[in-house]
Amino acid sequence: MIFPILRLPYLVLNKILDHLNVFELVSLSVCSNRCKWRCKQFRSTKEQITTFHLEFLSTKRTTFLNFYPSLEQQLVFELKKLEELQNLNNYLCIASNLYVTRDWSPRVFDVGSDRWFPFRSYLSKYHQTVYYSTDLAASTLTWVRFLSELFSAQPTSISLTFNCFNTEEIDRIMKLHCSAASFEIDSDSNQEVDQKLAISILERQNATKELKISLKPNETFQFDLKSLRNIPEFLEIGHSFWVKNQIMHAYKFQFKERYSYGDIIKTGYHITRQDKSIATVTVENNKIGWFILQSAEPDDVFMVYSHLRTYQCNDPPGRP
């Protein structure tokens, strides 16, 4: 017997929806357009999603879309090609050219938090397969659009691996998702990077918070970081041999300071840029390290701190 859930009174239905987790809400929304509209209406009255992270990962035959709608839950959608010989009567069409099996039931795991969420010890991971009948990029974008409409949120961060899609497909993804505030581009170390495409992605991405570049191009690869649309708050570059440092200078220093607890030998570098920014990297007695960003304003005071562990003690003298 099918329970007519949408015929319930408005307040009663809201109570039921309020007890659904994110995956259960997605599961209900794929049942029909009316279900999707009702779930979307319910979500509009709740706290909006502030962390909408998408990861486009790939194996040889399968692409994974990892959706992080919160710090507690991860939804993994495994996108597979629907073969022509498969009987469509066994599948439910949930969007344009997207299908799921009628016995929709996810695999659920509790997994350790990944690098995107360092403040929690575990995530509830829901794994489900979604089938597509056309090309992979179009189907992936359709599913991302479905999630965006359901939760009234656009992706805030995107991680894209080169071997997920071909050049044309990646180009289409960038046209729709280049505005994410955090962006990561990665590549399989065994796969040759299309340098024109890599440069195109770097020039079009619009990261303002975090930009991670983990490409391993050949020695002829060149890209001027001045071509970036924004200067992100955090920039991480793996295999950074292609980054040119003519606009930066490093000045080494070493000196001794005397304190009541003992002497400190400070060794480090002042790293300067043309915009007058200064970063100071210091090591004290080969034990404690500091990384300090100084203000470029001429009248500001530069503060230097020392840690008690530098003196081989955890507490000041006289303190129990």
Side-chain angles (χ1 to χ4, degrees):
M1 178 178 178
I2 299 176
F3 184 75
I5 186 173
L6 296 182
R7 295 182 182 177
L8 292 174
Y10 182 87
L11 294 178
V12 176
L13 179 57
N14 271 3
K15 283 291 185 180
I16 294 176
L17 296 179
D18 199 33
H19 285 81
L20 299 182
N21 61 39
V22 174
F23 185 85
E24 290 168 340
L25 197 68
V26 173
S27 300
L28 179 60
S29 67
V30 301
C31 293
S32 67
N33 288 334
R34 188 182 174 195
C35 285
K36 178 184 176 183
W37 175 83
R38 190 63 190 87
C39 291
K40 180 180 178 180
Q41 186 182 44
F42 167 76
R43 280 294 312 174
S44 66
T45 64
K46 298 298 178 181
E47 182 179 357
Q48 296 302 303
I49 289 179
T50 57
T51 302
F52 190 161
H53 173 57
L54 291 176
E55 288 182 332
F56 296 96
L57 306 177
S58 178
T59 62
K60 290 183 179 180
R61 310 182 80 178
T62 307
T63 294
F64 297 90
L65 193 155
N66 292 346
F67 168 41
Y68 297 79
S70 69
L71 299 182
E72 295 83 15
Q73 295 178 329
Q74 173 190 3
L75 278 60
V76 181
F77 297 103
E78 182 178 351
L79 277 75
K80 287 187 175 181
K81 180 73 173 181
L82 187 65
E83 303 297 336
E84 294 181 1
L85 297 179
Q86 291 176 293
N87 188 353
L88 288 181
N89 293 329
N90 298 326
Y91 297 87
L92 174 67
C93 182
I94 58 175
S96 177
N97 300 306
L98 285 178
Y99 301 85
V100 295
T101 57
R102 294 189 179 276
D103 58 342
W104 170 283
S105 179
R107 300 191 296 274
V108 185
F109 312 91
D110 285 334
V111 297
S113 299
D114 70 354
R115 59 191 169 185
W116 291 93
F117 306 110
F119 304 112
R120 286 191 61 84
S121 59
Y122 66 91
L123 294 170
S124 294
K125 178 178 178 179
Y126 299 85
H127 189 120
Q128 184 58 276
T129 302
V130 177
Y131 297 89
Y132 64 94
S133 59
T134 56
D135 66 292
L136 178 57
S139 302
T140 302
L141 294 176
T142 297
W143 188 236
V144 172
R145 190 179 301 113
F146 183 97
L147 297 172
S148 296
E149 292 176 353
L150 176 60
F151 295 100
S152 301
Q154 294 298 318
T156 56
S157 56
I158 290 180
S159 178
L160 178 64
T161 304
F162 253 84
N163 62 333
C164 281
F165 309 96
N166 59 38
T167 300
E168 180 183 350
E169 291 172 335
I170 291 179
D171 186 66
R172 274 190 284 170
I173 291 174
M174 286 303 302
K175 286 180 179 179
L176 290 180
H177 296 304
C178 64
S179 60
S182 297
F183 192 88
E184 178 178 5
I185 178 173
D186 198 356
S187 65
D188 185 341
S189 59
N190 297 320
Q191 181 182 14
E192 182 178 352
V193 173
D194 185 315
Q195 300 195 36
K196 290 184 178 180
L197 177 60
I199 292 174
S200 174
I201 292 175
L202 291 175
E203 289 179 340
R204 283 186 292 175
Q205 61 78 31
N206 201 38
T208 56
K209 291 186 177 181
E210 186 175 49
L211 175 60
K212 294 184 179 181
I213 307 171
S214 302
L215 302 177
K216 193 175 182 181
N218 59 41
E219 296 181 357
T220 63
F221 183 80
Q222 293 183 350
F223 178 76
D224 189 350
L225 292 179
K226 293 181 179 178
S227 301
L228 296 177
R229 292 186 177 183
N230 300 298
I231 300 177
E233 297 175 9
F234 179 84
L235 174 62
E236 178 181 315
I237 302 176
H239 311 294
S240 57
F241 63 87
W242 54 271
V243 178
K244 307 303 180 183
N245 294 317
Q246 291 92 338
I247 61 175
M248 301 175 64
H249 301 278
Y251 300 92
K252 185 177 181 179
F253 63 86
Q254 184 178 80
F255 62 93
K256 180 186 292 187
E257 290 187 357
R258 294 185 179 276
Y259 296 92
S260 58
Y261 299 149
D263 295 341
I264 290 182
I265 298 178
K266 291 180 177 288
T267 304
Y269 288 88
H270 294 301
I271 304 173
T272 64
R273 302 194 315 186
Q274 287 184 335
D275 62 0
K276 299 182 180 180
S277 299
I278 302 174
T280 300
V281 182
T282 309
V283 176
E284 300 177 354
N285 291 354
N286 293 323
K287 295 178 181 177
I288 301 296
W290 298 94
F291 183 84
I292 304 173
L293 296 177
Q294 301 186 41
S295 172
E297 298 298 326
D299 296 330
D300 283 352
V301 178
F302 173 47
M303 303 297 293
V304 178
Y305 303 91
S306 295
H307 199 284
L308 289 172
R309 293 178 182 173
T310 305
Y311 308 97
Q312 296 184 328
C313 61
N314 293 324
D315 297 298
R319 178 178 296 180

XYZ file of all heavy atoms in Angstrom, residues 6 10 13 17 28-30 32-44 146 149-150:
202
model
N 1.722 13.363 0.438
C 1.482 14.752 0.042
C 0.068 15.225 0.367
O -0.230 16.419 0.270
C 1.763 14.936 -1.447
C 3.217 14.718 -1.885
C 3.360 14.980 -3.371
C 4.167 15.607 -1.095
N -0.641 20.472 5.925
C 0.620 21.193 5.745
C 1.538 21.068 6.958
O 2.724 20.727 6.835
C 0.303 22.666 5.455
C 1.519 23.517 5.198
C 2.066 23.621 3.930
C 2.108 24.238 6.242
C 3.177 24.412 3.695
C 3.215 25.031 6.021
C 3.751 25.112 4.746
O 4.841 25.883 4.531
N 2.842 17.428 7.453
C 3.864 17.087 6.463
C 5.192 17.759 6.801
O 6.265 17.151 6.673
C 3.393 17.495 5.074
C 4.380 17.220 3.929
C 4.757 15.750 3.877
C 3.782 17.668 2.605
N 8.864 16.026 7.236
C 10.042 16.447 6.474
C 11.159 16.930 7.383
O 12.344 16.778 7.071
C 9.655 17.561 5.493
C 8.662 17.184 4.395
C 8.350 18.382 3.512
C 9.192 16.026 3.560
N 13.080 11.660 -1.572
C 11.672 12.009 -1.739
C 11.476 12.948 -2.924
O 10.508 12.820 -3.681
C 11.140 12.658 -0.456
C 9.674 13.100 -0.470
C 8.749 11.910 -0.737
C 9.308 13.782 0.846
N 12.403 13.840 -3.122
C 12.245 14.848 -4.171
C 12.340 14.252 -5.575
O 11.825 14.844 -6.531
C 13.288 15.946 -4.006
O 14.590 15.434 -4.246
N 13.004 13.098 -5.745
C 13.118 12.508 -7.085
C 11.875 11.714 -7.471
O 11.771 11.256 -8.621
C 14.361 11.586 -7.176
C 15.626 12.348 -6.860
C 14.210 10.358 -6.283
N 8.738 12.718 -7.861
C 7.889 13.432 -8.812
C 8.212 14.912 -8.739
O 8.862 15.385 -7.797
C 6.399 13.210 -8.503
O 6.063 13.828 -7.267
N 7.740 15.665 -9.736
C 7.944 17.114 -9.711
C 7.234 17.763 -8.529
O 7.713 18.736 -7.942
C 7.446 17.729 -11.016
C 8.331 17.408 -12.189
O 9.531 17.163 -12.023
N 7.761 17.375 -13.375
N 6.074 17.194 -8.184
C 5.329 17.735 -7.048
C 6.090 17.501 -5.746
O 6.133 18.378 -4.881
C 3.943 17.088 -6.986
C 3.030 17.737 -5.951
C 1.689 17.037 -5.904
N 0.864 17.562 -4.820
C -0.211 16.967 -4.361
N -0.600 15.807 -4.903
N -0.905 17.497 -3.377
N 6.698 16.321 -5.606
C 7.503 16.039 -4.411
C 8.705 16.986 -4.337
O 9.039 17.505 -3.266
C 7.983 14.592 -4.433
S 6.708 13.380 -4.045
N 9.325 17.187 -5.485
C 10.478 18.083 -5.503
C 10.069 19.503 -5.107
O 10.753 20.162 -4.322
C 11.102 18.104 -6.901
C 12.292 19.053 -7.013
C 12.818 19.106 -8.433
C 13.943 20.122 -8.547
N 14.438 20.238 -9.941
N 8.951 19.971 -5.655
C 8.477 21.320 -5.322
C 8.169 21.439 -3.840
O 8.506 22.430 -3.209
C 7.233 21.632 -6.138
C 6.607 22.947 -5.782
C 6.969 24.181 -6.227
C 5.522 23.154 -4.855
N 6.173 25.154 -5.654
C 5.288 24.548 -4.806
C 4.735 22.306 -4.087
C 4.282 25.110 -4.011
C 3.745 22.856 -3.288
C 3.527 24.238 -3.255
N 7.561 20.384 -3.265
C 7.201 20.439 -1.842
C 8.440 20.404 -0.953
O 8.516 21.119 0.041
C 6.275 19.259 -1.501
C 5.667 19.358 -0.119
C 4.768 20.583 -0.014
N 4.364 20.814 1.373
C 5.078 21.517 2.251
N 6.222 22.070 1.894
N 4.635 21.697 3.465
N 9.425 19.587 -1.322
C 10.672 19.530 -0.551
C 11.429 20.859 -0.646
O 11.993 21.331 0.342
C 11.551 18.386 -1.053
S 10.905 16.745 -0.695
N 11.426 21.442 -1.840
C 12.084 22.731 -2.015
C 11.395 23.809 -1.192
O 12.042 24.659 -0.570
C 12.088 23.112 -3.495
C 12.756 24.440 -3.778
C 12.738 24.757 -5.264
C 13.373 26.117 -5.523
N 13.356 26.448 -6.972
N 10.066 23.785 -1.174
C 9.302 24.743 -0.377
C 9.622 24.590 1.109
O 9.777 25.571 1.839
C 7.817 24.546 -0.630
C 6.922 25.586 0.030
C 5.462 25.298 -0.215
O 5.010 24.155 -0.112
N 4.694 26.334 -0.543
N 9.748 23.345 1.548
C 10.097 23.090 2.945
C 11.503 23.603 3.253
O 11.731 24.238 4.290
C 10.012 21.588 3.227
C 10.647 21.170 4.521
C 10.016 21.394 5.732
C 11.894 20.565 4.531
C 10.599 21.010 6.928
C 12.490 20.181 5.717
C 11.842 20.411 6.920
N 12.471 23.348 2.345
C 13.854 23.780 2.578
C 13.957 25.302 2.648
O 14.818 25.839 3.353
C 14.758 23.274 1.455
C 15.186 21.839 1.589
C 16.076 21.619 2.785
N 17.151 22.612 2.856
C 17.993 22.718 3.860
N 17.891 21.914 4.892
N 18.943 23.625 3.853
N 13.088 26.009 1.953
C 13.163 27.472 1.933
C 12.865 28.086 3.291
O 13.206 29.237 3.554
C 12.204 28.039 0.887
O 10.849 27.771 1.255
N 19.875 20.005 -10.317
C 18.774 19.459 -9.520
C 19.024 19.717 -8.032
O 18.147 20.178 -7.296
C 18.648 17.958 -9.786
C 17.511 17.292 -9.071
C 16.300 17.078 -9.712
C 17.633 16.873 -7.753
C 15.237 16.464 -9.057
C 16.592 16.258 -7.084
C 15.382 16.054 -7.737
N 18.765 23.511 -7.190
C 17.382 23.991 -7.124
C 16.680 23.491 -5.867
O 15.921 24.223 -5.229
C 16.623 23.543 -8.364
C 17.095 24.219 -9.643
C 16.386 23.676 -10.868
O 15.626 22.691 -10.720
O 16.599 24.222 -11.965
N 16.951 22.239 -5.497
C 16.300 21.668 -4.327
C 16.693 22.417 -3.055
O 15.846 22.708 -2.207
C 16.666 20.187 -4.192
C 16.135 19.457 -2.954
C 14.614 19.482 -2.915
C 16.651 18.024 -2.922
